[in-house]
Amino acid sequence: MTSGITRAAAEELDAADALAGFRERFVVDDPELIYLDGNSLGRLPAATPDRLREVIEDGWGAGLVRSWQGWIDWGARLGDRLAAHVLGARPGEVVLSDSTSVNLYKLAGAALDAAPGRGTVLIDAEDFPTNRYVLQGLAGQRGLRLRRLASDPDGGLDLDLLRSALDGDVALVVLSLVSYRSGALLDMAEVNELARAAGARVLWDLSHAAGAVPVDLTATGAELAVGCTYKYLNGGPGSPAFLYVRRELQAGLRQPVWGWFGQREQFRMGPDYDPVPGIERFLVSTPPLLSLAAVDPALTLVEEAGVARIRAKGLQLGRLADELADAWLRPLGFRRASPREPQRRGCHVSMYHPDAWRICQTLAADAKVVCDYRVPDRLRIGPSPLYTRFTEVWDALDRIRAVTADRTYTSRSADLARVT
Ligand SMILES: *Cc1c(COP(=O)(O)O)cnc(C)c1O
């Protein structure tokens, strides 16, 4: 069982890699550990600890409450950078706040309130659980019908199914641009057009897309979006999420959590809620400043690299993983659980194996390969292009082959851990 791709060929890809220099701008504590889970929690940028120390000591320690003069609109300033370099949006259309789940609740609530004559919400039955639960809650509270589209867990949502479900009663469609499990990538422009023709709105979740694949919210006619900053954007555990509302829609939408950070002349402390017309009307409360500060140096790296180059390398990493998996892992019982072509995926790929969970644990414990497991039987591999080497993908697939072939994983417990 040998692949046509030798380790020397992977070394050549590393030597020719235009982004190779970015790896040293991240903390790589153990160079032997192969980290293929940047799609769950991106690595720590080397500049982040000093930046946070500065914000803590100078901003909080010395400046105290006076520092809020400079901090108050940091979420909007970071939002403008994200809009320009990552999301293809215009200034004043993106802001960082809250979490992805909470932003999803706010924007879905706003969109549903603005479509009182329509009673149906469409979601992908295979979407990330928080999206399904948030929409289930909203639909229940408002007496709406929640329709779950049966998509292919490996191949993604069939747009013919979406087209036939888009009748005149649909108010809102919630979809992930890149599926969290299979990595399936949707055609944003086509989905937006289908929904527009049916008079429905689309709320996009860009959590597994932002910083991994090119996104052009303006050109594709997108209206609403949310997403994480701690995956491919490397903002750190629980860093604030982003939300996007197309400029033309902002004044006409009102989100359901009426907090003082959305209020006109906030510090006048007026008697009644009267939100600002712009993107900040979708804010609620005091931002988690330290987590927000960590997004700043992380975003600088993505800006410097550029999403086009990140995507180009992501496709190459995907092709390498595919070829090695076909040659080495398929004979051991693995099967691809993602679209066949890397262009139809985000930056991660999933593989089915009946013992995926035990193999995943063994890889981390005995083989220094961190990837992740997703129920019911998938191993998910996410080589984040900013810091992952081609030789790491080669070595990781080689170690997966060895761990699976020698079957030491069979001594492990099949019980799931608290976090997988
Ligand atoms: C990671 C992820 C989230 C995370 O939501 P939190 O509110 O940050 O816990 C939401 N949606 C999708 C599609 C994700 O992949």
Side-chain angles (χ1 to χ4, degrees):
M1 284 192 297
T2 51
S3 152
I5 301 173
T6 59
R7 195 171 190 286
E11 284 166 14
E12 276 170 32
L13 288 170
D14 280 332
D17 174 11
L19 300 182
F22 281 89
R23 180 179 168 91
E24 64 191 34
R25 298 178 63 189
F26 288 86
V27 172
V28 179
D29 176 62
D30 175 359
E32 281 168 28
L33 179 85
I34 302 178
Y35 189 63
L36 299 177
D37 213 355
N39 56 321
S40 226
L41 177 63
R43 278 191 185 271
L44 169 63
T48 300
D50 282 345
R51 186 78 173 104
L52 284 186
R53 200 168 298 116
E54 190 185 296
V55 173
I56 291 170
E57 291 176 359
D58 303 348
W60 180 10
L64 290 165
V65 76
R66 295 167 293 185
S67 297
W68 275 111
Q69 299 293 345
W71 287 341
I72 192 99
D73 62 350
W74 208 352
R77 284 185 278 128
L78 287 168
D80 280 344
R81 286 170 56 191
L82 207 55
H85 298 276
V86 176
L87 301 176
R90 296 167 291 178
E93 291 186 321
V94 177
V95 69
L96 271 72
S97 77
D98 303 310
S99 64
T100 302
S101 306
V102 171
N103 287 334
L104 193 85
Y105 176 83
K106 292 188 303 188
L107 295 195
L112 293 173
D113 285 343
R118 291 174 175 240
T120 301
V121 180
L122 298 182
I123 57 166
D124 178 343
E126 298 294 332
D127 203 355
F128 192 74
T130 205
N131 299 12
R132 294 184 277 110
Y133 306 154
V134 164
L135 268 297
Q136 196 179 7
L138 273 169
Q141 288 150 19
R142 285 152 207 256
L144 305 173
R145 188 164 74 111
L146 183 66
R147 236 187 111 182
R148 300 159 213 244
L149 300 173
S151 77
D152 175 347
D154 301 339
L157 179 67
D158 178 351
L159 293 192
D160 286 337
L161 189 65
L162 176 64
R163 188 179 291 110
S164 61
L166 273 165
D167 59 28
D169 194 51
V170 176
L172 182 67
V173 184
V174 176
L175 292 171
S176 291
L177 182 60
V178 173
S179 157
Y180 80 101
R181 193 166 47 184
S182 69
L185 172 67
L186 285 173
D187 183 332
M188 183 180 266
E190 194 177 347
V191 170
N192 286 338
E193 178 51 31
L194 284 177
R196 197 199 55 74
R201 291 226 151 93
V202 183
L203 169 47
W204 287 101
D205 187 326
L206 306 177
S207 292
H208 281 280
V213 300
V215 175
D216 196 335
L217 292 168
T218 303
T220 59
E223 295 187 319
L224 303 165
V226 298
C228 292
T229 61
Y230 52 77
K231 292 173 176 166
Y232 291 100
L233 296 172
N234 312 304
S239 57
F242 60 85
L243 65 82
Y244 158 85
V245 180
R246 196 175 188 88
R247 190 187 288 157
E248 291 77 7
L249 265 66
Q250 290 173 3
L253 292 180
R254 189 174 267 211
Q255 55 96 358
V257 190
W258 294 9
W260 72 315
F261 267 67
Q263 176 75 353
R264 240 182 251 269
E265 302 187 77
Q266 176 183 8
F267 280 89
R268 297 276 166 111
M269 316 271 180
D272 294 309
Y273 182 64
D274 176 20
V276 295
I279 191 71
E280 279 155 323
R281 75 203 265 106
F282 300 97
L283 296 180
V284 177
S285 45
T286 310
L289 211 282
L290 301 181
S291 292
L292 193 62
V295 177
D296 191 337
L299 195 50
T300 300
L301 297 175
V302 173
E303 287 167 346
E304 277 183 39
V307 173
R309 289 200 298 170
I310 293 173
R311 176 58 168 168
K313 180 174 173 187
L315 290 172
Q316 279 186 298
L317 289 162
R319 266 181 230 117
L320 178 62
D322 278 352
E323 286 191 43
L324 295 172
D326 285 347
W328 294 346
L329 303 184
R330 202 155 48 183
L332 295 172
F334 280 96
R335 174 172 64 71
R336 189 176 296 103
S338 295
R340 177 79 190 82
E341 302 83 24
Q343 296 90 317
R344 294 211 41 240
R345 315 195 292 250
C347 201
H348 67 272
V349 61
S350 285
M351 287 181 292
Y352 158 88
H353 190 286
D355 284 314
W357 168 235
R358 294 194 292 177
I359 291 170
C360 183
Q361 294 171 82
T362 309
L363 285 167
D366 302 340
K368 290 203 169 201
V369 175
V370 174
C371 46
D372 67 16
Y373 162 81
R374 284 292 172 260
V375 288
D377 46 25
R378 282 161 174 80
L379 196 65
R380 192 173 66 160
I381 289 179
S384 186
L386 273 183
Y387 47 75
T388 306
R389 292 183 170 142
F390 292 94
T391 40
E392 288 185 294
V393 169
W394 199 95
D395 290 341
L397 274 281
D398 187 41
R399 292 183 206 176
I400 297 171
R401 160 170 70 163
V403 158
T404 309
D406 81 6
R407 297 185 57 81
T408 50
Y409 67 83
T410 53
S411 63
R412 285 194 177 268
S413 163
D415 294 342
L416 289 188
R418 171 79 174 81
V419 178
T420 68

